[in-house]
Amino acid sequence: MRKAEITRKTHETAIEVAVNLDGNGQSACHTGVGFFDHMLDQLARHSLIDITLKAQGDLHIDDHHTVEDCGIALGQALARALGDKKGIRRYGHFRLAMDDTQVACALDLSARPFLVWNLPFPTPKIGTFDTELVREFFQALATHGGITLHVDLIHGFNSHHIAEAAFKAVARSLREAVEPDPRMAGVLPSTKGAL
């Protein structure tokens, strides 16, 4: 089973995360940030990766440290669970429609972190949640998960839908990328011999 657990503790946050790449999308995410918990639930459900995440952060300041550090810990857990990456598909892509919104995602579990982010939000907040934190989360996830990640807004005007479509599109892309490829069993998906 491809599982991993990460504990991260700083002066700003304390985070425990566990992932199972061969799960069925179960989620138990409690960060103290309601909208973010909802997005993490979407990430788990649509990637079919089981995610358990508990975070305590300095929410009396704002949500930034909590959201970013959850991205760091989750990225580290994904990288650890993937191990040597032999036999996986490695690449994933998905275009997701949600009401007024369409978001495209393409990613590579390359160990070469890079984020291309073309996802403008029409409003600075979704309820009390700062929309700029969506990018902060995915930047941390890509950096610490070793993911080349491209996320593009095709169109949309509702900030909630844009954020949710992004999480779901990344989730569906991850689902494809981490999936074992029966034609590549035990083989590293790279001509370099290392990822």
Side-chain angles (χ1 to χ4, degrees):
M1 296 294 285
R2 299 177 299 161
K3 299 179 180 179
E5 295 182 5
I6 293 288
T7 299
R8 174 182 170 83
K9 187 168 177 57
T10 71
H11 293 304
E12 298 168 342
T13 61
I15 298 168
E16 296 177 3
V17 61
V19 299
N20 175 6
L21 302 185
D22 300 307
N24 57 15
Q26 294 182 40
S27 174
C29 297
H30 306 285
T31 67
V33 183
F35 180 76
F36 184 48
D37 288 349
H38 177 48
M39 293 299 100
L40 292 173
D41 289 344
Q42 300 302 320
L43 187 65
R45 175 67 57 88
H46 293 280
S47 66
L48 297 183
I49 297 171
D50 293 345
I51 301 174
T52 301
L53 192 152
K54 297 177 186 176
Q56 291 182 324
D58 53 2
L59 299 180
H60 61 285
I61 296 174
D62 68 7
D63 300 341
H64 186 112
H65 297 141
T66 299
V67 172
E68 181 178 32
D69 287 7
C70 285
I72 291 170
L74 186 56
Q76 291 171 342
L78 288 173
R80 183 176 292 177
L82 281 166
D84 63 12
K85 301 180 186 174
K86 287 183 179 176
I88 65 168
R89 294 191 184 276
R90 176 179 166 183
Y91 298 100
H93 63 93
F94 203 82
R95 286 177 70 133
L96 190 128
M98 182 175 178
D99 300 337
D100 56 285
T101 299
Q102 185 179 164
V103 172
C105 173
L107 60 81
D108 176 9
L109 302 177
S110 61
R112 297 188 305 276
F114 199 90
L115 178 65
V116 175
W117 187 258
N118 296 306
L119 201 85
F121 284 95
T123 62
K125 289 188 177 287
I126 301 167
T128 61
F129 185 82
D130 293 328
T131 53
E132 68 181 10
L133 295 182
V134 178
R135 185 189 189 284
E136 293 300 321
F137 170 77
F138 284 116
Q139 178 69 69
L141 182 77
T143 299
H144 294 271
I147 304 168
T148 301
L149 177 61
H150 294 234
V151 183
D152 296 282
L153 177 65
I154 307 304
H155 50 253
F157 55 80
N158 181 288
S159 290
H160 187 128
H161 294 163
I162 292 169
E164 189 164 339
F167 273 85
K168 289 177 176 178
V170 171
R172 289 300 298 252
S173 300
L174 272 174
R175 176 179 171 179
E176 181 180 359
V178 305
E179 187 176 72
D181 185 342
R183 297 178 63 194
M184 293 286 286
V187 177
L188 191 72
S190 173
T191 57
K192 294 180 180 181
L195 277 176

